[in-house]
Amino acid sequence: MSESSSAVSLVPGAPEGGRRRLSVVIPAKDEREGLEALLAAVYAALGECGGLEHEVIVVDDGSRDGTFERLRELQPRHPGLRGVRLSRNFGKEAALLAGLRAATGDAVITMDADLQHPPAVIPEMVARWRAGAKVVHGVTSRPSGARRRDRFASSAFNRLMRYLAGIEMRRASDFTLLDRVAADVVVRELPERRRFYRALTRWVGFRQESVVFDVPPRERGSSAWSSARLMDLAATGIVSFTSLPLRLVTFLGLATLVFAVVLVADTLWSWFTGTAVSGYATVEVTLLFVGSAVMISLGILGEYVARIYDEVKARPGYVVEEELGGAPRPDSPSLPTPAQGG
Ligand code: UDP
Ligand code: MG
């Protein structure tokens, strides 16, 4: 992946062979205050993309501050503005999927609503796409994460993903452009319910490039991610991309077995040579060690079982309550299926 600044020029109105329409998908939870400034910046950036048709889809992920009402007010002034309102807060991953399913463009950009994904980067992403890239990742210039323990956890997580799953997640963000072919794979061919978008966009392959951007501090509101939610997302990432932890359990068991064999040999030796067999402390330590190894193993198994259960239940990842703009769908309003697509 090249991370250098692009030298590709934007040729307005150049023949595109059908690639003419860009969708921007923005999941938003409690972002009413920042919505107007966001749309101004996004539309300004879209104006610099060399005459692309566009639509902007804001997915209201169960906001309680009237984000959707604000969107309704803003819609007449913004051509191509659409809204999807989820029936409650389903989480950013679900909101992203809802937006991707609603998107009709030949390319789809996903970005945050809080201007931490600067819209000014959009023209460069589009330029890369026009030059043939199928996936353009926005990569942050510095490790993100407000809290120190989150940054620490995230670097540990990135390392795990690299070694276990072979996916490079360093400084990754959900600010991404997907060509229609890649978007179709992410939306239709990857039906998993517990999703990890920024890894899925890397998994799809095709020609992938990166653009680097600076993350400005959040101006309004606060990050909706608790450490617990981040941990859950990290577990989803690891469980859905590798089953190596399960194998580690086996290795842990083998290591314990070797330890046990040595201990038995030592005990027998002591018995035959007439030395006193070591006592209470050894039993205690061994018990604690084996006990914790068993519980860690059960925990790892549990992570997989929980996710298998989620997939087997096959509930939809979100429910659409209302849509704003765009073509009405024959079987709306709710329970979208992958086949609907738009
Ligand atoms: N978001 C969402 N649903 C949620 C939490 C967040 O749609 O349950 C949206 C939020 O409105 C924002 C984006 O996801 O547009 C990123 O959220 P946030 O800024 O809180 O995360 P951070 O920047 O800390 O990663
Ligand atoms: Mg943010």
Side-chain angles (χ1 to χ4, degrees):
M1 281 190 227
S2 92
E3 293 191 357
S4 63
S5 177
S6 164
V8 179
S9 67
L10 295 170
V11 188
E16 294 289 341
R19 39 164 88 158
R20 326 213 83 236
R21 192 173 161 79
L22 178 68
S23 304
V24 179
V25 166
I26 309 176
K29 170 158 188 288
D30 298 335
E31 304 280 6
R32 184 177 60 113
E33 294 303 323
L35 210 51
E36 190 165 8
L38 169 78
L39 291 177
V42 168
Y43 275 80
L46 287 172
E48 287 167 29
C49 288
L52 275 180
E53 246 184 69
H54 54 253
E55 64 178 355
V56 176
I57 304 173
V58 176
V59 183
D60 175 9
D61 184 21
S63 298
R64 290 163 175 272
D65 69 345
T67 297
F68 203 77
E69 287 67 30
R70 186 83 188 105
L71 195 67
R72 212 192 298 278
E73 285 166 21
L74 291 168
Q75 200 212 9
R77 280 190 275 138
H78 297 83
L81 180 61
R82 298 172 56 193
V84 176
R85 179 187 217 157
L86 305 187
S87 62
R88 65 168 169 84
N89 179 241
F90 284 93
K92 184 184 178 186
E93 291 287 327
L96 276 171
L97 182 60
L100 283 166
R101 282 196 179 137
T104 60
D106 302 301
V108 188
I109 289 181
T110 50
M111 64 187 296
D112 285 0
D114 55 3
L115 287 174
Q116 286 191 305
H117 293 166
V121 179
I122 291 178
E124 187 177 349
M125 288 183 152
V126 168
R128 299 291 188 107
W129 170 56
R130 282 181 156 151
K134 293 287 185 270
V135 180
V136 185
H137 300 288
V139 172
T140 61
S141 54
R142 286 180 294 108
S144 50
R147 289 160 293 213
R148 185 190 288 262
R149 64 168 191 273
D150 287 347
R151 277 203 301 273
F152 178 76
S154 109
S155 101
F157 168 73
N158 291 340
R159 215 158 287 153
L160 274 178
M161 284 296 279
R162 180 157 63 244
Y163 293 133
L164 298 182
I167 292 184
E168 178 56 67
M169 302 286 303
R170 212 148 39 100
R171 298 185 278 122
S173 72
D174 291 333
F175 190 13
T176 306
L177 179 148
L178 298 177
D179 181 84
R180 177 45 56 194
V181 288
D184 277 348
V185 173
V186 169
V187 171
R188 293 173 208 269
E189 315 275 332
L190 303 177
E192 56 218 79
R193 274 136 238 284
R194 297 287 291 261
R195 302 175 73 86
F196 188 41
Y197 179 67
R198 63 185 68 174
L200 294 178
T201 55
R202 285 165 168 77
W203 180 91
V204 292
F206 300 112
R207 184 171 145 194
Q208 308 215 344
E209 292 185 15
S210 305
V211 295
V212 180
F213 69 96
D214 294 321
V215 185
R218 210 182 211 284
E219 278 181 21
R220 293 183 189 75
S222 58
S223 173
W225 291 86
S226 63
S227 295
R229 228 166 169 183
L230 285 173
M231 293 289 275
D232 187 61
L233 189 65
T236 298
I238 289 173
V239 168
S240 60
F241 279 90
T242 169
S243 25
L244 265 176
L246 291 173
R247 200 154 300 150
L248 288 183
V249 170
T250 315
F251 286 131
L252 191 63
L254 287 176
T256 321
L257 183 66
V258 171
F259 181 69
V261 167
V262 171
L263 209 66
V264 166
D266 178 60
T267 310
L268 287 177
W269 176 256
S270 307
W271 193 66
F272 280 121
T273 54
T275 352
V277 177
S278 57
Y280 187 68
T282 320
V283 176
E284 186 106 306
V285 167
T286 317
L287 251 169
L288 280 177
F289 175 75
V290 173
S292 50
V294 167
M295 278 192 273
I296 291 170
S297 309
L298 274 178
I300 294 177
L301 278 176
E303 291 291 331
Y304 284 86
V305 173
R307 280 164 181 80
I308 294 170
Y309 184 50
D310 276 348
E311 301 299 326
V312 170
K313 277 190 293 191
R315 288 186 189 157
Y318 58 87
V319 176
V320 175
E321 179 174 338
E322 187 181 351
E323 289 189 39
L324 191 67
R329 305 196 312 200
D331 44 359
S332 35
S334 72
L335 296 184
T337 61
Q340 283 180 324

